Amino acid sequence: MDKFKWFMDEDKMELSSSRTAASDFVIDTDESKSSSNFFSVNQYQDSLNFLAPNATYDIKNNIISANNIEFINVADAKISPDSGNVIIYKRAKMEILENASVLANYVTQYHKIFNASLEIKGRLDYEGSGDYTYIDKTKGQQIIHLDKIEVDTTDQTIAIGVIPEELGFKLSPYFDYQGDFTLSASIKNLTFKGGARIAHDCETIERNWLKFEAEIDPERIFIPIDTSMKSITARKLTAGVVIASESPFDTYGTFLSSVSDKDDRPLLTSEGFVYYDEAKKVYQIGSKEKINQPNLAGNLVELNTESCELVGDGKIDFQQNLGMLDITQVGRITYNTVKNESFIDGVCAVDFFFDDNLAKIIAEKTQKSQDLAALDITKTKYEKAIVEALPQSEADKIISELNIQGQLKKIPEPLRKLFYFADAKWVWDEAEESFYTQGKLGLMNMGKREVFKYVKGKIEIQKKRSFDVFNMYLEIDPTTCLLYTSPSPRDLSTS
């Protein structure tokens, strides 16, 4: 202090200093302490110090009233008292600060807390509560309360709070939130542990609070989803197009919603993260890589918030029970939530035990037919099948060959199925409780034998209680056709 006045009648002393606070906040050094003029000698306060240009000392009551304080360095934070005033009692006991502000930490300056009620206990210790402004991508501001602010064992400011549902808090205009949140001074974003809920008006898709815990970047929100996919009430959720497990069999759409029956199974589902694409106006569920690059392998489920159409991309599981017969589909499934209709478009592989000589005859006859239209696989979802079946580097090589030459030197091993249709479009028939194909089938290959022809035909999967029924009819020409039914004592008939 440079100056002081002693008011003897009042038993008070007025102190003042010409020092100014350092423009750069340097903590725990001789330089920072040299600008201070108040130091605690209480051994439990670890040399707590600060600069106060003005102060009054009440000699009789041993009270210091320090004024015009810009900030007090505590742990990793700058604490600014309301109006710059602090009162200190005997044994360096500092009065609780009301309406104070906190800037943490002093290096990153990521977080600002205001309306804070704080108790400064020492140079490395303080605690209290306060308010925090959450700013979303649209620059919208929401005030949330920190119930507890403190310093952890690494001398870092941390804080926790609870956001009740009635607060109507939103992580963004597209995600509601309720639950806990955590602030760590060295981390830019808050961590949320609670429930997120998407915003849409699709009547047949219920809205649930998805349970999650993650650091959230308001500029690009990804809510993590794992295989458990549960609500905050432990209710099992799913996302995708689902088929009933019992008659009457039917398909229906889900998106972070529950199934009608616990045994119902998805035709296509996905996990990873839920994200909202503002340009497309769709919620997406998939890995971050798949969301950013939809052409990559993996499943992706989307809910359009305008049409309420549900779309899945990836591997489709018919949930069939066909014994030794295997049928797989890769492509796109679309569910119309308004009309309750399901459509599938993509690549279909059918595999079962079959005489190789007969397969050779069928393949050669089909391939040599002049009456059948040629299959241009570049206009199908065959690339998608390649990506799903092979490692990325190998898939890229084959796709490049396909785009340049329009054909392949040889059929990739994983795609050498008995009947491989590069173009197969399916619909779900609610009345018949079956999937069946519409239009001509683009037969790519039979095993390792190339065909590249469109053939007349139909494939059907009929859902039954104990087992499913598979029917396939292919017409090579008016005199040659193939009919396969499974299960049956005699599976194959040709003419």
Side-chain angles (χ1 to χ4, degrees), residues 190-224:
L190 300 179
T191 295
F192 293 87
K193 182 180 180 181
R197 184 175 65 182
I198 60 177
H200 65 77
D201 297 317
C202 303
E203 293 183 2
T204 61
I205 305 292
E206 65 182 12
R207 297 169 63 220
N208 288 287
W209 292 100
L210 172 69
K211 184 179 180 180
F212 80 99
E213 179 177 1
E215 179 187 335
I216 295 297
D217 179 1
E219 293 297 318
R220 199 157 190 253
I221 294 178
F222 286 90
I223 306 292

Side-chain angles (χ1 to χ4, degrees), residues 172-454:
S172 77
Y174 315 109
F175 292 99
D176 301 332
Y177 179 78
Q178 62 164 309
D180 301 335
F181 70 99
T182 303
L183 177 154
S184 295
S186 62
I187 301 174
K188 184 177 182 179
N189 300 312
L190 300 179
T191 295
F192 293 87
K193 182 180 180 181
R197 184 175 65 182
I198 60 177
H200 65 77
D201 297 317
C202 303
E203 293 183 2
T204 61
I205 305 292
E206 65 182 12
R207 297 169 63 220
N208 288 287
W209 292 100
L210 172 69
K211 184 179 180 180
F212 80 99
E213 179 177 1
E215 179 187 335
I216 295 297
D217 179 1
E219 293 297 318
R220 199 157 190 253
I221 294 178
F222 286 90
I223 306 292
I225 298 176
D226 57 25
T227 51
S228 63
M229 202 184 299
K230 293 183 179 180
S231 71
I232 57 176
T233 58
R235 190 180 184 186
K236 175 65 177 174
L237 305 178
T238 188
V241 183
V242 176
I243 188 165
S245 59
E246 296 288 342
S247 184
F249 295 99
D250 196 9
T251 60
Y252 59 94
T254 61
F255 199 92
L256 303 181
S257 46
S258 58
V259 293
S260 299
D261 185 273
K262 64 180 179 63
D263 293 324
D264 292 353
R265 294 292 180 263
L267 301 172
L268 185 146
T269 188
S270 188
E271 60 188 60
F273 297 86
V274 57
Y275 172 77
Y276 185 76
D277 188 316
E278 294 182 65
K280 296 180 180 178
K281 298 187 185 306
V282 297
Y283 285 99
Q284 300 173 309
I285 294 178
S287 67
K288 286 186 179 180
E289 295 77 14
K290 179 71 173 179
I291 290 172
N292 292 328
Q293 299 183 60
N295 291 331
L296 294 179
N299 287 3
L300 182 69
V301 177
E302 295 183 338
L303 174 66
N304 189 298
T305 56
E306 292 188 331
S307 68
C308 292
E309 186 177 73
L310 193 67
V311 176
D313 176 83
K315 293 181 179 180
I316 299 165
D317 187 347
F318 287 107
Q319 298 294 343
Q320 74 273 10
N321 179 16
L322 295 169
M324 297 296 290
L325 186 146
D326 183 50
I327 179 168
T328 57
Q329 180 86 17
V330 173
R332 181 183 179 92
I333 183 169
T334 302
Y335 176 74
N336 187 314
T337 61
V338 178
K339 298 181 179 180
N340 188 30
E341 296 176 338
S342 295
F343 303 91
I344 298 173
D345 179 18
V347 175
C348 177
V350 179
D351 208 20
F352 51 87
F353 179 76
F354 197 73
D355 183 80
D356 188 62
N357 289 326
L358 186 55
K360 180 180 178 181
I361 294 171
I362 296 172
E364 289 179 351
K365 190 174 182 65
T366 307
Q367 196 275 331
K368 292 177 181 179
S369 173
Q370 299 298 313
D371 298 325
L372 299 178
L375 169 67
D376 183 356
I377 57 174
T378 62
K379 296 181 180 179
T380 70
K381 297 190 182 300
Y382 190 67
E383 285 189 13
K384 172 69 179 172
I386 294 173
V387 169
E388 293 292 346
L390 300 171
Q392 188 65 50
S393 58
E394 190 175 343
D396 289 342
K397 183 179 179 180
I398 293 176
I399 290 172
S400 177
E401 175 189 333
L402 184 62
N403 291 332
I404 294 172
Q405 300 180 12
Q407 60 183 3
L408 299 175
K409 293 179 181 178
K410 63 178 181 178
I411 304 297
E413 183 66 35
L415 306 184
R416 295 180 185 179
K417 304 300 181 181
L418 178 58
F419 292 94
Y420 201 93
F421 300 97
D423 189 0
K425 296 177 174 62
W426 301 74
V427 296
W428 168 256
D429 188 321
E430 183 179 358
E432 296 295 327
E433 298 184 333
S434 66
F435 292 102
Y436 66 87
T437 59
Q438 285 185 322
K440 293 183 178 181
L441 296 163
L443 184 57
M444 166 76 181
N445 58 277
M446 292 184 64
K448 63 182 179 180
R449 303 176 182 94
E450 296 182 355
V451 177
F452 288 91
K453 294 287 186 176
Y454 274 102

